[in-house]
Amino acid sequence: MPLHPAAESGDRSHGAAAIESVAQLSTALEDTDPGLDPALARMARQAAAEGVVLLRNDDGVLPLGSRPVAVFGRTQLDWFAVGYGSGGDVKVPYIWNLVAGLRDAGVAVDAEVADLYSAWCAAHPPELTGTWGQWPHHLAEMPLDPVVVTAAATRADTAVVVIGRAAGEARESVLEAGSYYLDVAERALLDAVTASFSRTVVVLDAGNVMDVSWLADYGDRITGLVAAWQGGMEGARAVAAVLSGETPATGKLTDAIALSYPDYPSSANFGDPEANTYAEDIFVGYRYFETFAPERVLFPFGFGLGYTTFALTTRARFIADGAELSIEVRNTGNRAGAETVQVYVAAPDGSLSQPARRLVAYRKTAILLPGRSERVDLRVAMDELASYDDAGVTGHRSAWVLEPGDYRFFVGTDVRTAVAESIVTIPDLRVVRQVTEAAAPVLPFDRMTLARDADGTARVAFAPAPVSTADLRDRILRQLPPALPEPAEPAASLTFDAVVAGEATLDEFVAQLTPVELADIARGDITMHSPLGAAGNAGVLGGVSAALRARGVRPVTATDGPSGIRLSSYASLLPSGTALASTWNPPLVRELAALHAQEMIRKGSDVLLSPGMNIHRDPLCGRNFEYFSEDPLVTGRTAAAIVQGIQSRGVAACPKHFAANNQETNRTRNDSRVSERALREIYLRGFEICVREAAPLAIMTSYNQINGVWAHYHHDLVTTILRGEWGYTGCVMTDWWMENAVDPLFPALENSAYRVRAQVDVLMPGGAKTDAGPQSYVDDSIAQSLARPDGLTIGELQRGARNVLGLVLALVPVVDARA
């Protein structure tokens, strides 16, 4: 199959996908099939287009139609298709650039300017370095003679200026020119273009929110602004389709964009290499701005313009346990388009501080022709509005509660313009769910709360966050599982195939495994690029030893994601997490993920390490492009759609990074110090939605500590909450390698023994890690601990093996079909 026309024509694009290791380059010589599924490419293009957010469209500058356009900025060719690191390092056969996309969409691109940029970019290729974590945030701009701009303005009536940014794994955005801020050359470019053109559209090709306060400096000279996010291999083509009007603009912001970085409530507590105090507590993103500082927002959460207008008519009906809202959405403009209905709630003032508004439901319409309408029915259960009392101020500590009072429902198309439509009154305090204190802080700190002045105006206050009072050692000892009954049959007689055939139970198979075999199941195949899996894999788990394979346990291959399958073979590069979430369209995301799963099967991936679903706590976090939103509902619903789509084809998804992995700086040692309420309501809520709605077969822990305990050792996080409260029965794996530690509560446990007690089932990729880095051997901490009086028990090892083998069992049809 020939390469894509964009590649054949000599058009160029660069991004993280263009940064390849020597090993990948050598493998590329052997891979002669760059063909990808056209259906997946089409769906990726549609998703990327629906994720494009139109932020400004003065005087109807967009869509461009067929009128002549001059395009400025090197990113028009050197397009950032994705962010950096494992989340986007895919061997992709092509990446569209914007000029090729605009021409494909029928836009009359000024040839003289385009040729000038093409020649300059060819002579000045991007200085892309393969050094991990040192990738460029931006690419140096072409020096531009103002005469060129003036001349272009005589041939074209509209200018498009493209600004590119990238960040990624181990690569935060920084408060410097060329990263969060514009650099001098970009300013000069905007100055020159806006001085000559009365219509200027700026396209931000970036995976993270960046500073846009400069808009005020140009007044009405910048008439259009588009957040393109990073849409993968088809992203630039999708952006061009939206700019041209071939595809309607329907994307919505999943983060509020503030006037300046210091306005973000996390800004004073981000980037510390040792620990970050989540002092803003539940007031993350728009929850803070809408409550305390609405005037400090440039573009509110949920905002996004279109090329047409809509009218919303709401009818509310109260039911026993909540509210049902029926919203008629009518296209009142003269172009086709789609709208996203968003429902917010304002909880009553009570003992627990509450944000002014929080998202509780949303749905996107189909494309509606002018004059056509669609009814959107949304149901909100009151129990879903419960808040977590971690201090006992309501009289019910460690409980999800609904405080008495009026719950006001707002309906609209963004958080700021949503209007009050109904009220549900709760007469008495209701305990929705009583749980157990878990993962609470051990060090004291003050957290943000809501206070009101005499006139009712909200103001920021602070109060001590409750610290842990739990006896975790006693909790663990009371929950230790017994060993499985010894099998009646000889130990070697029962194979895994008998479990597959339904002739034996999984427990019967696990009960006959030796301690060595159980320890092997608790790790991967030592290193990345395991010979047991497809070339270039991230790691293999399950049948990692000859003894286990002799018993019929299949090796299971895991591959990096989420924006594509990271292997030595060619694979599709899909839209980034932020782009997908900005569609506000879970059914579309689910369909895309199902097609992606078919590519997994073809390429040899059994478990995709996806979706990435950490909260956008701060705009500087390097991996925000992989993640979805500052809002846990958008995060959870988008993640659930990806998991459902992938697993509908018989392969597995592995949501990550569980949990509170909100910065890349010193990520393997940093401590996220967060109240139990904020942890549960903000940072775990998306994971909970994903687990309850999609039942992922695997979950990956994060590198960081949460309140002093590494996630891969965190019993409360994994056993108490994930498994105990949410009922999760799948496989939990580490992120790749882990920090060595002795369990402070059980000194006979260290490293993998400590991890297995927490029910983190598998160390990936399996080898030990020392101060010198990852090693190609396995530590013996499990065997050592089994031999100690107060060490790990066989019952705990068997429990973990059951979790791992449950994943293997679910994947047997795909693995066997490939064999």
Side-chain angles (χ1 to χ4, degrees):
M1 181 180 293
L3 293 178
H4 198 279
E8 290 184 321
S9 67
D11 291 318
R12 302 164 52 253
S13 295
H14 293 278
I19 303 173
E20 298 174 314
S21 68
V22 174
Q24 286 175 304
L25 290 172
S26 64
T27 305
L29 298 176
E30 304 170 4
D31 192 337
T32 58
D33 181 15
L36 303 177
D37 180 8
L40 178 57
R42 285 193 298 270
M43 188 60 63
R45 182 166 65 253
Q46 180 181 345
E50 288 201 27
V52 172
V53 183
L54 179 59
L55 296 174
R56 177 180 287 185
N57 192 24
D58 295 345
D59 302 324
V61 64
L62 296 173
L64 296 171
S66 59
R67 64 177 182 264
V69 174
V71 185
F72 298 91
R74 75 172 299 165
T75 307
Q76 63 180 283
L77 295 175
D78 294 325
W79 187 261
F80 286 105
V82 72
Y84 299 123
S86 60
D89 188 12
V90 177
K91 183 179 172 183
V92 60
Y94 71 88
I95 294 174
W96 277 83
N97 64 54
L98 188 62
V99 171
L102 287 169
R103 287 171 172 162
D104 180 73
V107 175
V109 175
D110 184 79
E112 290 189 33
V113 174
D115 290 346
L116 184 66
Y117 272 99
S118 181
W120 188 89
C121 288
H124 301 82
E127 296 180 4
L128 298 174
T129 172
T131 303
W132 184 263
Q134 298 302 311
W135 307 290
H137 287 113
H138 82 300
L139 305 176
E141 273 298 338
M142 179 184 81
L144 188 63
D145 188 337
V147 173
V148 172
V149 183
T150 302
T154 67
R155 302 186 300 270
D157 66 355
T158 303
V160 173
V161 178
V162 189
I163 294 172
R165 287 293 184 275
E169 188 172 4
R171 186 63 164 162
E172 312 277 30
S173 292
V174 292
L175 295 175
E176 297 175 2
S179 181
Y180 188 71
Y181 300 111
L182 294 182
D183 71 1
V184 173
E186 291 165 334
R187 278 279 193 172
L189 174 61
L190 286 173
D191 290 344
V193 171
T194 57
S196 295
F197 284 83
S198 61
R199 293 169 157 232
T200 299
V201 176
V202 177
V203 175
L204 301 177
D205 171 25
N208 291 38
V209 168
M210 61 178 289
D211 174 67
V212 288
S213 62
W214 42 266
L215 284 171
D217 299 336
Y218 295 95
D220 60 3
R221 290 181 291 162
I222 293 180
T223 49
L225 181 66
V226 172
W229 305 123
Q230 291 170 333
M233 63 190 188
E234 293 280 340
R237 189 183 184 192
V239 173
V242 173
L243 292 175
S244 70
E246 180 179 280
T247 300
T250 65
K252 301 285 185 178
L253 289 177
T254 62
D255 299 323
I257 299 179
L259 284 169
S260 69
Y261 178 72
D263 290 323
Y264 289 98
S266 59
S267 60
N269 293 285
F270 178 84
D272 188 283
E274 301 303 320
N276 287 298
T277 300
Y278 288 36
E280 70 279 4
D281 207 56
I282 63 165
F283 295 101
V284 176
Y286 76 88
R287 284 168 162 78
Y288 168 82
F289 290 117
E290 298 306 310
T291 306
F292 300 115
E295 75 283 356
R296 301 306 299 169
V297 174
L298 193 54
F299 298 106
F301 175 83
F303 176 79
L305 300 171
Y307 295 148
T308 188
T309 55
F310 292 90
L312 274 59
T313 304
T314 301
R315 294 181 180 178
R317 184 171 74 92
F318 307 122
I319 54 178
D321 60 347
E324 288 183 345
L325 299 109
S326 182
I327 304 101
E328 181 187 50
V329 182
R330 180 173 296 278
N331 186 341
T332 56
N334 56 14
R335 295 182 67 94
E339 186 57 277
T340 299
V341 178
Q342 303 166 34
V343 180
Y344 298 85
V345 72
D349 282 346
S351 300
L352 295 169
S353 293
Q354 299 288 355
R357 294 184 183 184
R358 60 180 165 125
L359 183 71
V360 294
Y362 65 91
R363 185 171 300 163
K364 190 172 193 174
T365 69
I367 298 295
L368 300 176
L369 295 174
R372 301 301 295 270
S373 64
E374 179 180 327
R375 192 181 77 180
V376 173
D377 294 320
L378 295 170
R379 182 179 182 277
V380 181
M382 293 305 295
D383 285 359
E384 295 174 359
L385 309 183
S387 299
Y388 186 77
D389 183 357
D390 59 359
V393 294
T394 67
H396 300 275
R397 184 166 183 163
S398 304
W400 292 89
V401 300
L402 279 170
E403 293 199 80
D406 292 339
Y407 288 77
R408 293 173 294 152
F409 289 82
F410 297 80
V411 178
T413 58
D414 66 68
V415 67
R416 183 64 55 82
T417 61
V419 297
E421 292 288 359
S422 63
I423 296 175
V424 174
T425 301
I426 300 294
D428 302 300
L429 185 140
R430 181 191 302 174
V431 177
V432 172
R433 190 166 76 239
Q434 180 68 55
V435 293
T436 305
E437 177 194 300
V442 293
L443 297 175
F445 62 87
D446 288 344
R447 63 176 173 182
M448 187 179 293
T449 60
L450 168 68
R452 293 198 183 275
D453 294 331
D455 63 357
T457 301
R459 61 178 172 84
V460 171
F462 286 88
V467 296
S468 176
T469 63
D471 185 342
L472 183 57
R473 177 182 169 85
D474 177 70
R475 177 182 297 171
I476 292 171
L477 289 174
R478 285 187 286 106
Q479 295 175 353
L480 288 180
L484 294 171
E486 293 188 9
E489 298 293 328
S493 65
L494 189 60
T495 68
F496 195 65
D497 288 318
V499 181
V500 174
E503 298 167 357
T505 67
L506 191 55
D507 278 357
E508 289 172 334
F509 178 77
V510 170
Q512 68 174 350
L513 298 178
T514 68
V516 171
E517 290 168 331
L518 291 169
D520 285 341
I521 289 176
R523 63 166 176 86
D525 191 32
I526 304 180
T527 65
M528 298 178 70
H529 313 296
S530 166
L532 298 175
N537 63 76
V540 166
L541 66 153
V544 298
S545 69
L548 288 171
R549 293 193 295 276
R551 288 187 181 272
V553 179
R554 281 69 160 172
V556 166
T557 299
T559 55
D560 276 318
S563 291
I565 304 167
R566 189 188 187 197
L567 285 168
S568 296
S569 60
Y570 286 105
S572 300
L573 182 62
L574 303 184
S576 66
T578 301
L580 291 177
S582 296
T583 68
W584 291 64
N585 193 345
L588 171 68
V589 174
R590 187 179 305 114
E591 189 174 353
L592 174 68
L595 287 170
H596 197 208
Q598 293 174 352
E599 183 171 88
M600 287 175 61
I601 295 169
R602 290 193 300 272
K603 300 293 181 178
S605 171
D606 305 314
V607 181
L608 187 67
L609 305 177
S610 167
M613 52 181 301
N614 294 103
I615 291 292
H616 290 178
R617 175 178 177 252
D618 189 279
L620 299 184
C621 176
R623 294 182 87 169
N624 276 357
F625 79 95
E626 288 188 45
Y627 309 146
F628 301 127
S629 175
E630 66 190 20
D631 180 79
L633 181 65
V634 172
T635 295
R637 291 279 158 79
T638 309
I642 291 174
V643 173
Q644 289 164 349
I646 289 174
Q647 295 188 173
S648 71
R649 298 297 184 265
V651 285
C654 182
K656 61 185 184 183
H657 306 89
F658 191 65
N661 181 188
N662 304 111
Q663 80 169 34
E664 288 298 292
T665 301
N666 201 27
R667 58 182 177 160
T668 63
R669 296 179 182 272
N670 191 270
D671 187 10
S672 296
R673 296 175 181 168
V674 56
S675 77
E676 191 185 357
R677 182 184 179 192
L679 181 65
R680 287 176 176 272
E681 290 191 18
I682 305 294
Y683 300 99
L684 297 185
R685 179 61 176 152
F687 284 99
E688 181 180 8
I689 291 169
C690 183
V691 166
R692 294 189 187 279
E693 295 187 1
L697 291 169
I699 288 176
M700 181 196 293
T701 59
S702 56
Y703 281 127
N704 56 286
Q705 300 177 61
I706 300 100
N707 291 325
V709 181
W710 274 289
H712 48 257
Y713 297 133
H714 215 303
H715 186 279
D716 263 354
L717 185 70
V718 178
T719 295
T720 304
I721 297 176
L722 174 64
R723 298 191 187 277
E725 293 182 17
W726 304 349
Y728 183 69
T729 59
C731 174
V732 178
M733 65 181 71
T734 68
D735 203 337
W736 266 225
W737 297 282
M738 66 180 189
E739 297 301 305
N740 295 331
V742 175
D743 188 340
L745 301 178
F746 301 94
L749 280 68
E750 61 180 325
N751 304 343
S752 280
Y754 184 6
R755 166 183 60 81
V756 169
R757 175 153 289 179
Q759 282 201 85
V760 177
D761 306 305
V762 184
L763 169 63
M764 293 298 290
K769 178 183 178 183
T770 69
D771 290 340
Q775 304 297 314
S776 58
Y777 62 84
V778 179
D779 78 56
D780 59 355
S781 59
I782 289 178
Q784 290 183 5
S785 184
L786 285 172
R788 294 170 181 163
D790 296 322
L792 195 69
T793 68
I794 285 292
E796 290 173 286
L797 267 180
Q798 291 172 331
R799 178 180 62 183
R802 183 194 300 117
N803 296 334
V804 177
L805 293 176
L807 169 64
V808 177
L809 184 63
L811 294 170
V812 162
V814 169
V815 174
D816 285 0
R818 184 182 302 121

